[in-house]
Amino acid sequence: MALDGKRIVLGITGSIAAYKAADLTRRLLKAGADVQPVMTTSAGRFIPPLTIATLAGKPVLSELFPEAGQAQDAWTKHVELGLWADAIVIAPATAQTMASLAGGFCDSMLAAIVLSARCPVMVAPAMDHDMWAHPATRRNVSVLEGDGVEVVSPAHGELASGLVGDGRLPEPEDLVRLIDEWMASSKMDADLEGGPSMAGRHVLVTAGPTREAMDPVRFLSNGSTGQMGFAIAAQAAARGARVTLLAGPVALETPPGVDRVDIVTADDLMHAALEVDPDVVIAAAAVSDYAPAETSDRKLKKGDDDLTLHLQRTPDVLAALGERRRDGQTLVGFALETHDGEAHARAKLERKNLDWIALNVQGEAGAGMGSATNRVTLLGADGQRVEIPTSSKADVAAAILDAIA
Ligand code: CTP
């Protein structure tokens, strides 16, 4: 099971379904997880903390500030737990707790842990049907989903109010299965721990496509989704590096701890790249090599059957960084090829004065742009060759950072 050996902060909030948290705790432990229960004060009205603490074999945390007899530094526990956890699961999650999380409030130990956490968060809502359907709750759900929180759909059935509808907390058995599947999914796949520390290093990552405008509504671009670059930025930040991520137009969330600068064109990328002096550059962006020689201020209207576009070269950002490379700087490029990959990649490595180039092959199953996985051959300027087998982009990112360390 994916849950085996995982550290879970189990948040329990004030719903009648809190009684199910006892069984859920027991089942999570049985699946091999290490469970730290955290209850809101209102959860304690539905189930005694002693029951949960006894099952979990750990004291329940509830108050953000130290209670009588507790060490005065106990209030920093939220930061510790936010870093300790592999995942946070809040079950049951009340409308109140979801509103608090969506608003970024820090009004309980649980809310403080969520705000401090670097790990993924799942909430399993439980409330009356009309509360679940209320526009305010819908809004909070979509805010949480936008923040990357996994929101479990409540089950349909008889509710504590006597009404029938959506709002029931799924049975603990089903919840454990959902949590396990979620933890096995690619989002949780990223092994963001381990690997050599990158503390004190500044890493510049470029990611995603660029867009070169023809007119106010049309542009030249490519199918890059930015996943590979974002995975590298996430890994480097998790290893303690200061990370600047120059991102083209992509629909991805900024990984925790990463400074993101959005760019659109190759020119923008060049300007942004020259503003920093990183120790490591990893250029995963699929930069458009050409841009329309002229950009019309007004939408181009169709005319003849043929249209000839006059294009001109864009600046090569990585080559420019290679030219001004300073001692102690490591430069890594990507080469996406369809044929003669190794020869093309080696030529780019030399031409751009790089230390490493990551070759991937477009058209190969499970590799390249838009794929959730990648297969990379890493070629070093010193002749080294590292084969990274087909794996999630998070694992490929980890392997690239391991190799260049
Ligand atoms: N790159 C860059 N700026 C550009 C073009 C590419 O920084 N204007 C970087 C990419 O991020 C990648 C590497 O250079 O790390 C790719 O090299 P390149 O020779 O430009 O690859 P292609 O664009 O695929 O070139 P070709 O069409 O010649 O294969």
Side-chain angles (χ1 to χ4, degrees), residues 228 232 282-284 318 332-336 348 357-358 360 374 376 400:
M228 192 65 246
I232 293 168
I282 305 181
L318 188 56
V332 185
F334 269 79
L336 178 64
K348 287 177 190 178
I357 194 148
N360 45 175
N374 209 358
V376 163
I400 291 174

Side-chain angles (χ1 to χ4, degrees), residues 204 206 266 269-270 273-274 281-285 287 289 313-326 329 331-334 347-357:
L204 174 71
T206 71
L269 183 63
M270 186 67 143
L274 294 181
V281 176
I282 305 181
V287 187
D289 290 323
R313 282 292 304 268
T314 55
D316 189 322
V317 181
L318 188 56
L321 297 177
E323 264 172 39
R324 61 194 74 194
R325 182 163 83 153
R326 63 168 168 80
Q329 210 173 30
L331 297 192
V332 185
F334 269 79
K348 287 177 190 178
L349 178 82
E350 276 169 37
R351 195 169 67 236
K352 302 194 188 201
N353 195 21
L354 309 178
D355 299 285
W356 292 94
I357 194 148

Side-chain angles (χ1 to χ4, degrees), residues 191-247:
D191 177 17
L192 290 177
E193 282 172 26
S197 165
M198 297 184 82
R201 313 218 74 201
H202 183 186
V203 179
L204 174 71
V205 181
T206 71
T210 59
R211 284 182 183 173
E212 310 295 338
M214 287 169 61
D215 70 11
V217 294
R218 302 181 181 94
F219 54 81
L220 292 180
S221 190
N222 58 66
S224 169
T225 55
Q227 291 177 78
M228 192 65 246
F230 274 60
I232 293 168
Q235 278 291 340
R239 291 178 181 201
R242 173 182 158 210
V243 181
T244 304
L245 173 62
L246 306 183

Side-chain angles (χ1 to χ4, degrees), residues 294-350:
E294 281 169 17
T295 304
S296 168
D297 294 344
R298 309 175 73 182
K299 187 181 166 201
L300 297 170
K301 303 305 282 181
K302 58 182 156 302
D304 300 339
D305 284 348
D306 289 340
L307 171 72
T308 305
L309 261 185
H310 181 201
L311 303 178
Q312 64 187 22
R313 282 292 304 268
T314 55
D316 189 322
V317 181
L318 188 56
L321 297 177
E323 264 172 39
R324 61 194 74 194
R325 182 163 83 153
R326 63 168 168 80
D327 278 353
Q329 210 173 30
T330 304
L331 297 192
V332 185
F334 269 79
L336 178 64
E337 306 293 344
T338 55
H339 60 282
D340 300 333
E342 201 149 333
H344 285 309
R346 285 233 173 257
K348 287 177 190 178
L349 178 82
E350 276 169 37

